[in-house]
Amino acid sequence: MRATFPHLLHLDVALGILYPTLGIEIVPPPPLTRKTIEIGVKLAPQNACFPLKVTLGNFVESIEKGADTLFMAGGVGPCRFGYYGQIQRLILEDLGYKVQFILLDHPRYGIRSFVQALRTMTGGKISPARIVRATALAWKVLRFTETIEAKRRALRCLVERKDALDRVVEGTLTRLRWVESVTALEEIIRSTEEALRALPLVREEGEVLKVGIVGEVYVAQEKRINFDVERLLGDLGVYVHNSVSTVEYILHTLPFTRSREKEETWRLARPYLQRFVGGEGIDSVGSAIRYAQWGFDGVVHLYPFTCMPEIVAKGILTQVSKDYDLPILHLAIDEHAGEAGLITRVEAFVDVLERRKKTRRKSEVGRAWTYS
Amino acid sequence: MDLFLGVDVGSVTTKFVLMDREKRIVASCYLRTSGDPIAALKDGLRYIERHFPSGGLIKAVGTTGSARHLAGIVVGADIVKNEITAHAVAAITRVPEVRTVFEIGGQDSKLIIIRNGVVEDFAMNTVCAAGTGSFLEHQAIRLNVPIEKFGELALEAHQAVRIAGRCTVFAESDMIHKQQLGFGKAEIVKGLCEALVRNFINNLATGKAIEDPIVFQGGVAANQGIVQAFRDFFHGKKRIIVPPEHGVMGAWGAAILAMEYAPECSLFQGFAVVERHFVSRSFTCEDCPNSCEIVFLKENDEVKALWGSRCGKWSPSAVGKRIDEEPAGMKTVSQGEECEQSRCPVYD
């Protein structure tokens, strides 16, 4: 078995550590590039969501590199993500690829198939204790990749040299790929924190604009897809926080692992949205409200074009924007999204936030701040 | 006399405004970009130089529009701003009580909501051409009506033909269908104007409160037919103002932003730029499957600026080295045809 899996920001770093320890040979997915997107767009149905197309492109590129088993998460619910695996399996079968598709569904929809898939994905015969140990390290690595990206977002507008910041982050990410023990990981964490602290700052957190990112789990995180909006905002001198995280996404699938932060987000969204609309619809609404409470200057909403849960969220966010006097920029991403138009809109949004900060009138609530 | 230069290089037209410290326009011009922004920039600079008041001194330069970065390098800009901000600033300067801005240009259209002299909200259409000037121009050619006469013709019509304006392709087939039914040109032109207005409102204004006074600007504002169609859409209840400077508002905004920015020493390259030789070239970086198209601006043998590098590995000196090693791999980017007539100033 030569297994592969789709990209999701730095998920490949964590899984690249997990699988070799479980004795599963993997084909790391080739870097996500324009070619990946082109392959996916060509093969997938035209009206499928953008993440389906990109992950399909990932699979094809990995198969061409020799993968014969594909690991994919699935689900059932209002969001089309539940069908990604099935559709991708059919498309790859039609293309004549002889591959095994292992789909990990939510245990709610069949505990037996879940355990079966999980067994295949974790090597079958290995002792549970070893699986837990290996998973714990990979999990810690995944968490740290998110921590370091969060640091990069926050520091980009503050540091004197942005390239020095990038060098520290990229260097750490490369080192993480070879991590073998928790002790080694802790050493990397320590030295990275030291290197980040050593970066000279030219501004303070209090004086910069703050923007939060909400949206769909794939597009809001995967910067190779969303034109690296975070970097663009950082270069414009904006402090960025991203509410979307793969760690939280995984934890949220089981009721007893949900973080308090996530529960809080859902509670905040309740006055606007009581029922689950699929995907991250509720999270987008709740996180935007939390940003308003934190005193952020604006929110950027990133979602795949035609994403149903996020379209529901977009409608509700118009009201949230009015009620909390919080400007929101909505950016729909797909293969047709033009970079020039996106940059112009983000620049104009930052100008609006700047001018607004100068002439702040908090008393006037009741206006919609929606940008598209 | 302190002067400020604003340059707006759009996809279809290039605009220049020379402004004094009271924000009054001293000279302005409106030219066709004709696919060659560098040539258009030089033509514009020549025009401004000819109309340059004696004793004037350019204190700051601002650029905007889709080629704002290129223009910023060629002219030497102190500030490079996006079109939305530039248009809003000009509209607020021209009509201080403005609450809504409609801007329809060649390739995109914008709706800007302003309250108390501050931009509150905006929407920009960059995907669909059905709400833009190019759409009208294309249909004008099809109907064999000069675009300048388009508005006049629309006003002559007593009634409008309803044309599906959701998409340019559908609009065109629907228009041909209506022609075959025997409607006159004037009715069809009026129908097209109404379709464009409907499209603009549907695409950009959903869920937004449009309050007057509305300032209508951009090249399409010169078209009386569209202005009338907007009036009809609001049943004459909203005040729509078309400033005489409507065509150069973006450039004016860039000049105002440059003045506000107030650099100690301007980066303006001087009017001698027109004598210098700039050329845009590109090559495809094959170091990874991203295949970035690296576009760079060259003056003689010196690489002045470059765009399109996703990973950031290319710097002007790295590109310069690559040109020396592999001159055959470079493509010329701007293939603008020389067309003196189309580039002559039509706006003053």
Side-chain angles (χ1 to χ4, degrees):
Chain A
M1 181 165 78
R2 283 164 64 81
T4 191
F5 44 84
H7 272 295
L8 206 181
L9 200 57
H10 304 309
L11 187 67
D12 60 323
V13 177
L15 294 185
I17 291 163
L18 175 66
Y19 283 120
T21 29
L22 294 177
I24 297 176
E25 196 191 339
I26 54 161
V27 179
L32 208 170
T33 61
R34 220 167 55 188
K35 195 175 141 229
T36 318
I37 298 172
E38 273 169 24
I39 294 172
V41 167
K42 200 173 79 188
L43 299 178
Q46 194 204 345
N47 53 359
C49 330
F50 193 42
L52 182 146
K53 300 178 186 177
V54 182
T55 44
L56 181 65
N58 269 163
F59 284 144
V60 171
E61 284 190 317
S62 303
I63 293 168
E64 278 164 6
K65 283 246 156 93
D68 58 13
T69 307
L70 311 178
F71 292 160
M72 179 72 186
V76 178
C79 169
R80 288 186 281 185
F81 174 60
Y83 291 114
Y84 276 24
Q86 302 294 353
I87 292 170
Q88 289 169 334
R89 182 174 57 82
L90 288 172
I91 292 171
L92 293 172
E93 273 174 15
D94 284 350
L95 288 169
Y97 289 119
K98 297 269 178 295
V99 287
Q100 203 191 350
F101 215 101
I102 310 287
L103 201 57
L104 188 70
D105 267 324
H106 192 284
R108 204 184 324 159
Y109 309 111
I111 190 81
R112 202 186 273 164
S113 70
F114 175 76
V115 171
Q116 186 62 43
L118 203 61
R119 272 173 73 129
T120 325
M121 282 187 174
T122 49
K125 291 178 209 71
I126 303 156
S127 73
R130 209 175 136 196
I131 294 176
V132 169
R133 255 203 317 278
T135 316
L137 176 63
W139 182 251
K140 283 204 173 93
V141 168
L142 182 63
R143 259 185 195 273
F144 184 60
T145 59
E146 290 192 353
T147 312
I148 191 168
E149 281 296 344
K151 290 249 166 74
R152 167 144 74 176
R153 272 174 218 127
L155 287 172
R156 191 161 191 89
C157 59
L158 307 176
V159 293
E160 187 186 20
R161 291 188 63 98
K162 295 178 173 67
D163 54 341
L165 172 67
D166 280 336
R167 260 202 305 281
V168 172
V169 175
E170 296 300 335
T172 301
L173 288 171
T174 314
R175 276 162 72 203
L176 281 177
R177 287 177 194 275
W178 312 110
V179 135
E180 273 172 349
S181 66
V182 177
T183 343
L185 173 65
E186 273 163 4
E187 167 57 26
I188 293 177
I189 295 177
R190 203 191 49 75
S191 65
T192 307
E193 277 171 357
E194 213 166 83
L196 288 176
R197 260 200 305 276
L199 291 173
L201 303 184
V202 281
R203 279 190 283 176
E204 279 175 38
E205 208 186 295
E207 55 182 300
V208 292
L209 288 171
K210 287 188 176 179
V211 166
I213 292 180
V214 302
E216 190 265 345
V217 70
Y218 192 81
V219 164
Q221 285 196 86
E222 186 50 82
K223 47 184 163 189
R224 292 164 287 195
I225 298 302
N226 65 26
F227 301 99
D228 215 344
V229 171
E230 292 173 356
R231 185 195 183 93
L232 184 61
L233 284 166
D235 289 346
L236 291 169
V238 178
Y239 173 100
V240 185
H241 185 277
N242 195 335
S243 65
V244 185
S245 127
T246 312
V247 169
E248 290 289 337
Y249 181 82
I250 296 169
L251 288 178
H252 194 73
T253 50
L254 297 171
F256 51 90
T257 51
R258 278 175 201 171
S259 70
R260 200 181 297 157
E261 206 186 356
K262 202 76 171 169
E263 297 280 10
E264 172 75 6
T265 310
W266 280 46
R267 199 185 55 72
L268 284 172
R270 213 167 292 148
Y272 295 91
L273 189 58
Q274 286 84 27
R275 51 178 297 175
F276 182 62
V277 292
E280 289 71 56
I282 297 180
D283 307 79
S284 294
V285 174
S287 300
I289 297 172
R290 204 172 46 214
Y291 284 130
Q293 291 178 344
W294 283 353
F296 270 51
D297 298 284
V299 163
V300 172
H301 179 211
L302 284 166
Y303 60 100
F305 185 60
T306 74
C307 172
M308 191 277 289
E310 295 301 328
I311 289 169
V312 173
K314 186 184 169 191
I316 294 168
L317 284 173
T318 312
Q319 189 60 38
V320 170
S321 162
K322 258 187 216 166
D323 294 351
Y324 287 88
D325 192 22
L326 177 77
I328 299 177
L329 176 70
H330 300 280
L331 294 173
I333 307 286
D334 74 352
E335 66 269 26
H336 304 297
E339 193 169 8
L342 185 132
I343 293 172
T344 301
R345 273 178 281 177
V346 171
E347 281 181 8
F349 184 67
V350 173
D351 280 347
V352 169
L353 299 184
E354 245 161 38
R355 289 202 171 227
R356 215 172 93 91
K357 202 171 187 176
K358 276 185 204 153
T359 54
R360 190 126 201 153
R361 314 170 310 266
K362 260 288 177 191
S363 55
E364 255 188 82
V365 183
R367 287 167 279 121
W369 291 86
T370 39
Y371 302 81
S372 53
Chain B
M1 185 167 46
D2 291 350
L3 294 170
F4 303 89
L5 184 65
V7 185
D8 177 0
V9 188
S11 52
V12 179
T13 53
T14 299
K15 286 79 73 176
F16 277 75
V17 161
L18 190 65
M19 178 189 87
D20 66 11
R21 211 170 260 288
E22 266 66 60
K23 299 183 187 172
R24 283 183 305 235
I25 297 178
V26 177
S28 71
C29 67
Y30 182 98
L31 325 157
R32 290 250 168 197
T33 308
S34 304
D36 191 351
I38 295 171
L41 277 167
K42 286 183 177 176
D43 284 355
L45 281 173
R46 273 190 209 108
Y47 180 88
I48 293 293
E49 192 182 14
R50 271 205 305 279
H51 294 79
F52 201 75
S54 56
L57 182 69
I58 289 184
K59 282 289 195 186
V61 179
T63 58
T64 187
S66 44
R68 56 185 179 276
H69 295 289
L70 177 95
I73 302 289
V74 172
V75 182
D78 302 294
I79 188 164
V80 177
K81 268 285 173 196
N82 63 81
E83 313 79 292
I84 296 169
T85 306
H87 275 285
V89 164
I92 294 165
T93 305
R94 189 67 181 78
V95 184
E97 70 274 19
V98 60
R99 293 176 77 78
T100 308
V101 178
F102 291 167
E103 196 274 337
I104 306 184
Q107 283 289 312
D108 60 28
S109 45
K110 302 168 201 80
L111 171 77
I112 310 171
I113 307 280
I114 295 168
R115 297 290 180 265
N116 302 325
V118 180
V119 178
E120 270 216 356
D121 196 346
F122 63 82
M124 182 179 171
N125 164 25
T126 52
V127 187
C128 177
T132 65
S134 303
F135 165 69
L136 280 188
E137 193 158 20
H138 184 71
Q139 302 313 329
I141 293 165
R142 176 172 271 286
L143 288 169
N144 203 13
V145 177
I147 188 73
E148 298 78 26
K149 296 264 181 279
F150 207 80
E152 271 173 48
L153 192 62
L155 294 182
E156 282 172 19
H158 297 295
Q159 63 170 107
V161 180
R162 189 163 176 102
I163 291 171
R166 195 87 192 102
C167 160
T168 45
V169 180
F170 295 143
E172 197 165 295
S173 58
D174 200 29
M175 189 183 89
I176 293 165
H177 173 65
K178 295 286 152 62
Q179 263 179 317
Q180 312 295 55
L181 287 177
F183 285 98
K185 256 187 203 173
E187 279 85 25
I188 287 175
V189 165
K190 191 173 161 75
L192 278 173
C193 291
E194 289 185 354
L196 185 139
V197 165
R198 258 199 322 275
N199 198 294
F200 179 88
I201 298 286
N202 289 341
N203 273 345
L204 298 178
T206 39
K208 293 184 176 31
I210 295 181
E211 292 178 20
D212 61 343
I214 298 164
V215 172
F216 181 22
Q217 58 197 44
V220 174
N223 187 324
Q224 283 304 312
I226 299 284
V227 178
Q228 189 56 44
F230 269 120
R231 286 210 181 97
D232 294 344
F233 184 86
F234 294 114
H235 306 290
K237 288 194 183 116
K238 306 249 165 162
R239 216 168 106 223
I240 301 174
I241 302 164
V242 180
E245 307 85 356
H246 61 84
V248 295
M249 293 296 266
W252 195 10
I256 295 167
L257 286 164
M259 188 176 93
E260 283 176 3
Y261 179 71
E264 262 180 40
C265 178
S266 177
L267 299 170
F268 182 52
Q269 300 284 312
F271 290 107
V273 164
V274 295
E275 304 303 329
R276 283 155 63 180
H277 185 64
F278 292 98
V279 62
S280 269
R281 283 177 184 277
S282 78
F283 65 89
T284 310
C285 168
E286 298 288 1
D287 294 357
C288 87
N290 260 332
S291 311
C292 294
E293 191 188 18
I294 313 291
V295 179
F296 56 95
L297 183 72
K298 227 178 80 175
E299 185 190 357
N300 304 324
D301 282 335
E302 192 194 346
V303 178
K304 302 285 270 191
L306 66 101
W307 298 273
S309 167
R310 284 174 188 224
C311 63
K313 66 185 276 186
W314 290 104
S315 62
S317 58
V319 172
K321 232 173 103 189
R322 173 150 179 155
I323 303 170
D324 295 339
E325 285 163 9
E326 200 191 336
M330 307 291 148
K331 295 185 293 245
T332 305
V333 176
S334 48
Q335 291 125 355
E337 297 150 43
E338 275 304 313
C339 179
E340 277 307 312
Q341 212 174 4
S342 67
R343 222 182 281 128
C344 63
V346 292
Y347 189 86
D348 219 317

